[in-house]
Amino acid sequence: MKMTSFKKILSLLLAVLFIAAMATLVCGCDDKKNGSEISSGQVVQTELGNGATTIFVEVTDLDANVAKFTVKTDKTTVGAALVEVGILGEADNGLYNTVNGKTIKYEETGKYWAFYVDGAYAMEGADTTKIEAGKTYAFKAEG
C-alpha cells in the first residue's frame, strides 16, 4: 500500500515538473522576438551577412528598443551593406524611412531616422558613407 502511494506522489510530482518546464519554455520564446513585439527598452542582438569586412550597427526605435547587429559585408557603403542584409529598406530620395522593419515618415510624424558614426551625428547619409571596418553605425528614431 505504501508503494502505491509513493508511485502516485512521484507521478504527480513529475507531472507538475513537466508542466512547469513547458510553461517556462513557452514563456521564454517571447524573448527572441523583434519588432513591435518586444517590450520597451529591450536589446536584441543578431549577426548578419558573410563578407570580409565587419561593422557594427545599432538601431534604436521610438520605444527605446535597441537592436544590435554585427554585419559582415563586401559592400563599400553602409547603405548598400544594410540594404543587402535587410536592416534598411530602399532609399527614398537618399533618405531611409524604414530601418529594421519600422517605417517613420517625417512628413507624417515629425520624427526621422538619424544616422550616427561611432556616436557622432553623421555628416553624410548612409548611402554615401564609406564602410570602415570595426566602426559602429547607428540609426536612432528622433524628432
Side-chain angles (χ1 to χ4, degrees), residues 38-50:
I38 60 177
S39 59
S40 183
Q42 185 171 346
V43 176
V44 177
Q45 199 155 2
T46 308
E47 289 189 26
L48 300 170
N50 56 10

Side-chain angles (χ1 to χ4, degrees), residues 35-36 38 59-66 102 104 113 139-141:
S36 62
I38 60 177
V59 178
T60 305
D61 67 17
L62 291 169
D63 295 323
N65 298 315
V66 178
K102 295 187 179 185
I104 300 174
W113 288 107
F139 288 87
K140 297 179 183 179

Side-chain angles (χ1 to χ4, degrees), residues 6 23 28 45 54 89 100 120 139:
F6 177 74
Q45 199 155 2
T54 301
N100 200 27
F139 288 87

Side-chain angles (χ1 to χ4, degrees), residues 23-133:
T24 301
L25 181 65
V26 169
C27 291
C29 290
D30 287 342
D31 292 341
K32 304 274 189 246
K33 293 181 181 177
N34 58 24
S36 62
E37 296 173 300
I38 60 177
S39 59
S40 183
Q42 185 171 346
V43 176
V44 177
Q45 199 155 2
T46 308
E47 289 189 26
L48 300 170
N50 56 10
T53 304
T54 301
I55 61 171
F56 305 98
V57 180
E58 295 181 2
V59 178
T60 305
D61 67 17
L62 291 169
D63 295 323
N65 298 315
V66 178
K68 293 184 177 187
F69 302 91
T70 299
V71 177
K72 296 182 179 192
T73 185
D74 291 325
K75 299 291 185 183
T76 58
T77 64
V78 175
L82 301 186
V83 167
E84 179 181 53
V85 297
I87 295 173
L88 293 179
E90 292 296 325
D92 180 21
N93 294 325
L95 299 175
Y96 293 97
N97 293 322
T98 302
V99 179
N100 200 27
K102 295 187 179 185
T103 300
I104 300 174
K105 293 190 177 181
Y106 183 80
E107 309 81 37
E108 297 171 9
T109 64
K111 301 189 185 314
Y112 62 98
W113 288 107
F115 178 53
Y116 292 83
V117 178
D118 279 344
Y121 197 84
M123 294 294 112
E124 59 184 316
D127 58 335
T128 58
T129 298
K130 299 290 184 199
I131 286 179
E132 293 184 54

